[in-house]
Amino acid sequence: DTEVTQTPKHLVMGMTNKKSLKCEQHMGHRAMYWYKQKAKKPPELMFVYSYEKLSINESVPSRFSPECPNSSLLNLHLHALQPEDSALYLCASSQDLLARGNSNTEAFFGQGTRLTVV
Amino acid sequence: GDSVTQMEGPVTLSEEAFLTINCTYTATGYPSLFWYVQYPGEGLQLLLKATKADDKGSNKGFEATYRKETTSFHLEKGSVQVSDSAVYFCALITGGGNKLTFGTGTQLKVEL
């Protein structure tokens, strides 16, 4: 199983709503990531978890709140979002933290959740 | 800081044509280099990678060679198919961080 599964695939939410994105992997990977991708742009890193602990927060606004309840699951809690937060949210995982020179380094991406904030 | 520069797209080719998508990088030290592909409406898939100078990554007929002297990792395929139509991202990992830095992406359209 080399899949990273994200749910839901599509989400429309109002600016006052609270919703959560879910990501799951069963590859035994210890690092998991959230990326945000706007249309016709490359993915931008938001958060990195390593061994269920937050390792990197790329100065993401607090209306995005990540959570890693166990080694297979990664959530992204959303609250009071703005229309400009509409994007494709991608989850990824890797065996360990991505590192230069490590031939085993590979990040597996999910299909993404397409979020629209109205 | 570290960065990746890709050629502007879209690139439009006829089926069976030769493909080159240029990628150059700026990085501290010697990064690991990757090509990812994103098909319409989907996430990213790793296409190939190279972790040291002169390494050649290859997969599904695509190839790229890590050229330290020119800081490049150009993607090539000898004969493209309509099914290769997608956006291709060049990316790197450096020693200073545990994250992928992506180029802007190059859209490839292959026509019959």
Side-chain angles (χ1 to χ4, degrees), chain A residues 73-90:
Chain A
L73 283 176
L74 184 66
N75 298 321
L76 186 63
H77 302 299
L78 313 172
H79 173 55
L81 295 193
Q82 303 297 310
E84 59 264 29
D85 295 320
S86 299
L88 180 68
Y89 288 83
L90 293 164

Side-chain angles (χ1 to χ4, degrees), chain A residues 89-108:
Chain A
Y89 288 83
L90 293 164
C91 175
S93 71
S94 58
Q95 183 65 44
D96 286 296
L97 284 174
L98 298 176
R100 176 193 64 179
N102 182 347
S103 60
N104 292 323
T105 292
E106 180 174 343
F108 292 81

Side-chain angles (χ1 to χ4, degrees), chain A:
Chain A
D1 182 4
T2 57
E3 277 197 0
V4 175
T5 304
Q6 290 186 243
T7 54
K9 285 187 169 36
H10 301 273
L11 178 62
V12 179
M13 61 184 290
M15 289 187 285
T16 58
N17 291 160
K18 285 185 181 181
K19 296 288 184 183
S20 297
L21 309 184
K22 181 178 173 181
C23 174
E24 193 167 4
Q25 57 86 16
H26 296 288
M27 295 178 277
H29 289 175
R30 306 311 301 216
M32 296 184 77
Y33 313 80
W34 279 116
Y35 282 83
K36 173 182 177 180
Q37 186 179 24
K38 301 283 278 184
K40 299 189 186 302
K41 298 290 187 184
E44 296 177 353
L45 183 68
M46 300 174 73
F47 303 104
V48 179
Y49 272 82
S50 176
Y51 287 84
E52 301 163 43
K53 291 190 182 339
L54 185 63
S55 174
I56 296 176
N57 177 342
E58 293 284 278
S59 303
V60 179
S62 60
R63 57 185 185 270
F64 295 91
S65 175
E67 178 197 19
C68 191
N70 61 57
S71 59
S72 299
L73 283 176
L74 184 66
N75 298 321
L76 186 63
H77 302 299
L78 313 172
H79 173 55
L81 295 193
Q82 303 297 310
E84 59 264 29
D85 295 320
S86 299
L88 180 68
Y89 288 83
L90 293 164
C91 175
S93 71
S94 58
Q95 183 65 44
D96 286 296
L97 284 174
L98 298 176
R100 176 193 64 179
N102 182 347
S103 60
N104 292 323
T105 292
E106 180 174 343
F108 292 81
F109 283 81
Q111 301 278 61
T113 293
R114 189 160 300 280
L115 174 68
T116 303
V117 181
V118 297

Side-chain angles (χ1 to χ4, degrees), chain B residues 68-90:
Chain B
K68 184 178 68 174
E69 62 277 10
T70 54
T71 62
S72 65
F73 193 54
H74 304 321
L75 182 68
E76 296 182 336
K77 186 176 185 184
S79 175
V80 293
Q81 305 299 311
V82 172
S83 57
D84 293 326
S85 298
V87 179
Y88 292 81
F89 291 98
C90 186

